[in-house]
Amino acid sequence: DAGVIQSPRHEVTEMGQEVTLRCKPISGHDYLFWYRQTMMRGLELLIYFNNNVPIDDSGMPEDRFSAKMPNASFSTLKIQPSEPRDSAVYFCASSADRTWGYGYTFGSGTRLTVV
Amino acid sequence: AQKVTQAQTEISVVEKEDVTLDCVYETRDTTYYLFWYKQPPSGELVFLIRRNSFDEQNEISGRYSWNFQKSTSSFNFTITASQVVDSAVYFCALSGIKAAGNKLTFGGGTRVLVKP
């Protein structure tokens, strides 16, 4: 199993530009989570999906952020327009009830820098 | 609301010393899971252990051991005979117990630096 795959690993963009982060969960996992990690706020949940349906997006900071999961093997997190304060590491994670004993499996993260 | 507190932000030890990381949690749930994750300098988050709230047995895995005390809402983690490869940020986390859709609430993390 290739694990959770995120792309790109690093992204540098200018303020005001649109940014799209991508995630491929582990095959067979029916939950997908997007987390953001910053020095100030630590690891915070942005949104999670179950069977491709968004269940809780209360952590999405504002309307500039949107997430989609068009199918079981792909999800995107989009920021439009991006701002310097969006600079962070964004993690995608997936899980399944049958593997919940092992918690989430996290991707390697996307380090976003907005200048 | 759930909350996880890791009071130690950074611990520095010399190789072969033991190091204990504290974790205190708050939850209104009567059953829950507790986790520890490791984040090495490469940045990924690696699962270490999960404990059920109804199982207070301590656990040992190689040089790692965990002490769960429900009475004090603590789930501490000890690395015995630390090695340089143990240098990382360690996160304690809490979740509900029903299903994989339960959200993980993370503590702020403790950075461990093991010097040769």
Side-chain angles (χ1 to χ4, degrees):
Chain A
D1 196 332
V4 176
I5 300 172
Q6 290 187 248
S7 64
R9 287 297 308 273
H10 302 275
E11 176 81 34
V12 180
T13 190
E14 291 185 348
M15 183 174 64
Q17 296 297 306
E18 177 179 297
V19 176
T20 299
L21 312 181
R22 297 173 178 79
C23 175
K24 176 179 169 55
I26 290 175
S27 177
H29 280 193
D30 47 5
Y31 291 89
L32 184 139
F33 304 82
W34 282 100
Y35 275 81
R36 178 171 68 175
Q37 185 178 29
T38 61
M39 289 295 293
M40 292 298 295
R41 301 175 67 90
L43 277 157
E44 50 181 347
L45 177 67
L46 300 178
I47 185 171
Y48 82 91
F49 296 82
N50 178 218
N51 291 322
N52 313 336
V53 175
I55 302 300
D56 184 349
D57 65 355
S58 59
M60 296 285 263
E62 47 197 279
D63 292 345
R64 297 185 297 106
F65 285 70
S66 62
K68 293 182 180 179
M69 192 165 186
N71 56 62
S73 59
F74 184 65
S75 176
T76 60
L77 177 67
K78 186 176 294 186
I79 309 172
Q80 166 63 18
S82 57
E83 296 182 3
R85 59 194 168 118
D86 302 330
S87 297
V89 180
Y90 292 81
F91 286 100
C92 176
S94 69
S95 66
D97 286 338
R98 70 180 188 284
T99 60
W100 183 225
Y102 301 98
Y104 301 169
T105 301
F106 283 86
S108 299
T110 295
R111 182 174 296 277
L112 173 65
T113 304
V114 183
V115 298
Chain B
Q2 297 180 329
K3 184 179 179 181
V4 178
T5 302
Q6 296 178 253
Q8 307 146 306
T9 54
E10 185 166 323
I11 300 174
S12 182
V13 297
V14 177
E15 207 169 17
K16 298 185 182 178
E17 289 183 343
D18 297 347
V19 56
T20 295
L21 311 181
D22 297 334
C23 172
V24 175
Y25 61 91
E26 297 174 27
T27 179
R28 293 180 181 171
D29 294 341
T30 54
T31 56
Y32 45 88
Y33 285 144
L34 293 161
F35 298 81
W36 277 94
Y37 280 83
K38 175 181 179 180
Q39 187 174 39
S42 52
E44 70 272 24
L45 284 157
V46 179
F47 168 86
L48 293 179
I49 190 172
R50 183 209 78 183
R51 298 297 291 170
N52 303 329
S53 57
F54 45 84
D55 180 3
E56 290 196 62
Q57 272 194 330
N58 292 327
E59 185 159 340
I60 298 174
S61 176
R63 296 184 297 105
Y64 294 170
S65 61
W66 291 269
N67 182 285
F68 175 38
Q69 302 227 340
K70 200 169 183 178
S71 59
T72 56
S73 298
S74 66
F75 185 42
N76 297 337
F77 172 32
T78 297
I79 304 172
T80 302
S82 60
Q83 300 176 0
V84 172
V85 293
D86 296 326
S87 296
V89 181
Y90 293 86
F91 291 94
C92 181
L94 168 70
S95 83
I97 206 165
K98 289 183 180 177
N102 283 283
K103 297 179 284 189
L104 275 178
T105 299
F106 285 88
T110 298
R111 181 178 300 278
V112 174
L113 177 60
V114 181
K115 300 176 182 176

